[in-house]
Amino acid sequence: MTNLSSHRFTIVTVVLAFLLLALMVACLLYGSVDIEPNVIFSILMGNDSGNEALNTIVLESRVPMILTAILAGAALSVSGLLLQTTFNNPLAGPSILGVSTGAGLGVAIVMLAMGGTIGSMSGDSIGGYLATLVAAVIGAAVVLVILMVFASIVKSSTMLLIMGILVSYLASSVISLLNSVATEQGLQSYVYWGFGNFTGVSLDQMPIFAIVIVLSLVSAMLMIKPLNALLLGTRYAQNLGVNTHRTRNLLLLITGVLTAVVTAFCGPIGFLGLVVPHIARLALNTSDHSRLMPVTMLTGAVTALLCTLISVSSPHGIIPINAITPIIGVPIIIYIIINRRKINYFN
Amino acid sequence: MAILQTYDMAVGFGQGSKRTTLLKGLNLKLEQGSLVALLGRNGAGKSTLIRAITCDNAPIEGSVEIDGNPASDITKHQLSRLVALVATERIMGGAFTISELVALGRQPHTGFLGRLSKHDKEVVSQCLEAVGISHKAQQHVASLSDGERQKAMIAKALAQETPIIVLDEPTAFLDVASRIETMQLLHKLAHEQNKAVLLSSHDISQSLLLADELWVITSDHEVVTGTTEQVVMSGAMDRVFGDTSIFFNGNLCDYEAQLPTVATVRINCDDNNLARCMTNALLRNGIAVDETSDIIIKVDDVNHITLPDGKIASSVKEVVKYFNK
């Protein structure tokens, strides 16, 4: 790393850290209920405000929501980065390749086929949401295996994207079929889940959510060396001593777990995984994963918090996250597609 | 002693009943300090042979031995310190700097996290120096020309510090200047750094000029090996294309088309360059040139050609018209 690029990395990291803090504070302060900042601060410090409702809103709604957004944002973004490198395809992402939909299908099967109560992530039974979680991981894994097999047969990256979209359609259609036989309660919780939201993880569920994501992110960080080698293509990577077969499988496993956990708890959230790695690359102007990975995590957390802030800013209730991510994501993707000949990492 | 040796090796593709053997009975030797060019027509099995040598694919029969050990006993990690590869594939890391790209060549030597030691960084800068792109070390790969990109990939291969470097058509996408430069660079590296360099190529004239040894795949699936002089004198070059309309011209060190001719003439000309130009011009118009012919045309200039009957032709077209009469 040269002085210039390490300088750039430092600046980007500091700016992102500052944004992250500012957005955390903003998400604490703003919400559908107006609470005085000093009251929020004192509740956070462990003092009882004397108002049970305010305590609950701050500690059991806003704090978990902020943590969820940070973790989910980082998770989806890293998932996108890993997919883009693994499939050698800059337009890959968990939602566009159908990994999220696959996880969603798993969730739908548990939520709809088994009735509303057992699958509902907000339910009290640990067994219920664990079943959903496992179903989501299996759904994501099935899609990833299909994609991997297809990628080994057809080398074209455009065809892979189309394959992902087709798998998505197929999973969506199965979900629709399930909808038609579901109970009303199941359908309702499923539809709500489908909007995407960062309010679905309760404080009780937070440890599992956080531990799985943090462990997966750490595993991703440990793959930086082979990830960089994979950018040169399979043949070069093998020649550098990378066991490409095992590495790809591990990367897809990490991707699958990250996407599945977030999807199970927060719904199928689009665009973050696709867009955030590009923001990180554009900001750093590098292909080097040792810098891309941490900045992708930070950018993902910041973007998810920004979406959260927008989602709670409406006086008429919460705006679904999936109504916001395309507005942020689509212009960036269009910018990248139009300018791809000028962008270093594409050439 | 040869750093790499094959024993009765057969290579091909496919599996089971669909298996096709391209080349067999190969007993090849790769020595350090020499540049070997692998030549052959498309589909002859150059890439397949290269993949067997780099242990990407196991041979159908026989074995490969590198540094005295059979390939089957060598781990992927050990292999990455023995054979470095330069392939034709375009890479995705356009936003790596050249120095970062070359540093990837240190991966076989770095630890789990890939952190570069002081020694690693020194090796990287030496390799950049050796291929002559130190001045571009901090530029991004995407900003390089094809020739510079290939130099960077060669520097990456050098950074692996392997005794063997294998290049699969390293000059395929390069212009003439970069092709010559790349071949000279490889020749220099083989000799100065005592590397065994094997490259496959379609660039016959540069290979014949700079390779110490040739491995020529003939159209009847034989691999003729030896020093460049030996192979050329053995006539193996004539057997590369099993096709009579193309022949190997030893003077030009390249292949030429065998065209039907209406006449054979002798050119009387003082300027060698002019004579060669005229020979080509006449040949492509169906007039062969031979020193022993009795029909003489005198060339003073491309616009002033004395025909056998003493008339002056002002262009090759008129010469052709004369002989076609």
Side-chain angles (χ1 to χ4, degrees):
Chain A
M1 208 192 304
T2 60
N3 286 335
L4 201 70
S5 56
S6 90
H7 215 68
R8 192 161 175 167
F9 177 69
T10 315
I11 292 171
V12 170
T13 314
V14 168
V15 168
L16 284 171
F18 174 78
L19 279 175
L20 185 71
L21 271 177
L23 283 164
M24 282 169 76
V25 172
C27 286
L28 262 179
L29 295 184
Y30 295 102
S32 41
V33 181
D34 280 325
I35 310 172
E36 290 288 318
N38 53 351
V39 175
I40 292 176
F41 188 71
S42 99
I43 293 174
L44 279 182
M45 289 289 102
N47 304 324
D48 197 335
S49 67
N51 184 334
E52 194 58 37
L54 290 188
N55 287 345
T56 311
I57 288 175
V58 173
L59 291 178
E60 286 174 34
S61 167
R62 290 193 187 173
V63 169
M65 180 184 72
I66 290 169
L67 288 175
T68 306
I70 291 174
L71 288 166
L76 288 176
S77 307
V78 167
S79 168
L81 178 66
L82 300 187
L83 280 173
Q84 287 169 7
T85 302
T86 311
F87 285 119
N88 236 319
N89 189 337
L91 291 179
S95 53
I96 207 161
L97 286 180
V99 186
S100 304
T101 323
L105 177 59
V107 174
I109 288 171
V110 175
M111 267 196 195
L112 300 172
M114 300 184 179
T117 43
I118 183 172
S120 172
M121 296 303 285
S122 51
D124 301 321
S125 80
I126 285 208
Y129 76 78
L130 275 185
T132 316
L133 205 55
V134 170
V137 173
I138 293 172
V142 168
V143 171
L144 283 170
V145 168
I146 293 174
L147 289 175
M148 212 161 64
V149 169
F150 186 77
S152 67
I153 301 170
V154 180
K155 301 286 174 209
S156 157
S157 46
T158 320
M159 288 301 144
L160 185 76
L161 290 180
I162 293 174
M163 188 68 185
I165 293 165
L166 291 178
V167 171
S168 265
Y169 272 120
L170 208 60
S172 302
S173 114
V174 175
I175 292 172
S176 299
L177 290 174
L178 282 172
N179 276 339
S180 65
V181 297
T183 63
E184 199 172 322
Q185 193 194 354
L187 194 60
Q188 201 178 12
S189 57
Y190 180 77
V191 168
Y192 177 73
W193 169 87
F195 286 147
N197 69 88
F198 294 132
T199 55
V201 186
S202 69
L203 268 185
D204 299 336
Q205 296 163 340
M206 188 55 76
I208 288 197
F209 184 71
I211 287 170
V212 174
I213 288 181
V214 169
L215 282 181
S216 305
L217 291 178
V218 170
S219 317
M221 292 288 280
L222 295 177
M223 304 291 279
I224 283 172
K225 183 177 167 181
L227 277 168
N228 278 339
L230 277 179
L231 278 184
L232 302 185
T234 311
R235 212 170 160 199
Y236 276 122
Q238 275 174 351
N239 182 247
L240 289 172
V242 177
N243 183 338
T244 49
H245 198 70
R246 200 182 60 195
T247 304
R248 283 228 157 88
N249 287 344
L250 264 173
L251 286 171
L252 290 178
L253 179 71
I254 297 170
T255 310
V257 170
L258 284 172
T259 310
V261 172
V262 174
T263 306
F265 281 96
C266 310
I269 291 170
F271 287 101
L272 278 187
L274 171 58
V275 170
V276 171
H278 286 284
I279 302 177
R281 287 193 201 99
L282 288 173
L284 294 173
N285 194 9
T286 187
S287 296
D288 178 10
H289 286 82
S290 68
R291 277 169 284 157
L292 275 181
M293 189 84 78
V295 168
T296 299
M297 284 181 199
L298 270 174
T299 312
V302 165
T303 315
L305 274 181
L306 182 66
C307 293
T308 310
L309 189 63
I310 297 171
S311 83
V312 297
S313 64
S314 158
H316 306 296
I318 287 180
I319 304 170
I321 296 291
N322 273 336
I324 304 163
T325 51
I327 296 173
I328 298 175
V330 172
I332 294 174
I333 294 300
I334 292 175
Y335 169 84
I336 287 164
I337 290 176
I338 290 174
N339 290 291
R340 68 186 186 284
R341 300 211 180 279
K342 285 182 247 161
I343 297 174
N344 272 336
Y345 61 81
F346 265 106
N347 294 293
Chain B
M1 199 196 106
I3 185 80
L4 185 145
Q5 210 162 348
T6 72
Y7 297 95
D8 286 321
M9 183 173 76
V11 296
F13 51 85
Q15 282 176 338
S17 58
K18 286 181 184 170
R19 200 168 74 180
T20 309
T21 304
L22 285 172
L23 303 165
K24 56 186 175 185
L26 302 178
N27 291 295
L28 305 165
K29 271 185 190 177
L30 212 51
E31 309 268 357
Q32 281 182 270
S34 87
L35 175 65
V36 181
L38 171 61
L39 306 175
R41 65 187 301 172
N42 275 345
K46 293 195 297 291
S47 289
T48 313
L49 180 54
I50 291 259
R51 281 176 183 275
I53 299 263
T54 55
C55 304
D56 280 334
N57 293 341
I60 292 175
E61 279 168 27
S63 59
V64 184
E65 210 177 87
I66 303 176
D67 202 14
N69 299 307
S72 49
D73 292 354
I74 300 173
T75 65
K76 277 187 197 310
H77 183 71
Q78 288 168 331
L79 192 63
S80 65
R81 289 165 174 239
L82 287 169
V83 182
L85 177 77
V86 176
T88 30
E89 280 96 337
R90 292 284 276 193
I91 61 164
M92 207 173 99
F96 278 126
T97 63
I98 314 310
S99 156
E100 285 166 351
L101 177 73
V102 175
L104 291 181
R106 294 304 295 164
Q107 282 209 354
H109 303 269
T110 57
F112 185 72
L113 294 173
R115 227 167 256 286
L116 297 176
S117 69
K118 205 175 154 223
H119 171 69
D120 290 321
K121 286 176 187 166
E122 274 166 19
V123 173
V124 169
S125 70
Q126 280 163 13
C127 296
L128 287 166
E129 191 72 44
V131 303
I133 47 167
S134 300
H135 59 294
K136 301 230 168 177
Q138 299 314 325
Q139 291 192 23
H140 287 108
V141 173
S143 70
L144 296 184
S145 70
D146 287 339
E148 289 166 336
R149 242 176 224 244
Q150 204 56 286
K151 278 189 195 169
M153 292 318 292
I154 293 170
K156 183 241 41 155
L158 282 180
Q160 279 179 253
E161 291 190 309
T162 56
I164 304 167
I165 299 180
V166 175
L167 307 96
D168 199 352
E169 305 209 6
T171 58
F173 299 117
L174 305 184
D175 59 24
V176 180
S178 310
R179 273 211 298 256
I180 294 174
E181 209 181 343
T182 306
M183 286 296 289
Q184 280 175 334
L185 171 66
L186 291 171
H187 182 261
K188 188 185 90 173
L189 293 175
H191 288 258
E192 287 179 3
Q193 303 205 11
N194 196 32
K195 305 267 184 194
V197 181
L198 171 69
L199 65 96
S200 65
S201 180
H202 281 293
D203 191 347
I204 309 288
S205 52
Q206 285 304 314
S207 301
L208 259 50
L209 203 57
L210 288 168
D212 301 299
E213 273 179 61
L214 296 183
W215 294 0
V216 175
I217 306 178
T218 65
S219 58
D220 42 1
H221 312 293
E222 196 194 333
V223 181
V224 181
T225 64
T227 63
T228 304
E229 315 79 78
Q230 286 171 342
V231 172
V232 171
M233 294 318 289
S234 77
M237 300 305 291
D238 296 323
R239 290 156 53 210
V240 171
F241 300 93
D243 188 339
T244 46
S245 66
I246 282 172
F247 71 98
F248 182 73
N249 182 331
N251 285 328
L252 294 179
C253 284
D254 215 335
Y255 288 88
E256 274 185 4
Q258 185 102 56
L259 300 167
T261 52
V262 293
T264 305
V265 301
R266 181 180 353 153
I267 293 179
N268 185 353
C269 176
D270 302 332
D271 184 340
N272 275 335
N273 266 335
L274 180 58
R276 198 172 301 135
C277 280
M278 285 310 290
T279 306
N280 284 340
L282 291 173
L283 197 63
R284 70 170 171 266
N285 283 298
I287 300 166
V289 176
D290 193 333
E291 286 302 304
T292 59
S293 174
D294 295 332
I295 309 168
I296 299 168
I297 58 171
K298 188 170 184 303
V299 181
D300 297 318
D301 186 9
V302 286
N303 298 321
H304 193 279
I305 305 158
T306 315
L307 296 169
D309 62 0
K311 286 187 181 147
I312 306 296
S314 63
S315 70
V316 173
K317 234 178 209 168
E318 285 178 25
V319 179
V320 172
K321 211 181 268 172
Y322 172 85
F323 282 105
N324 277 312
K325 235 179 248 172

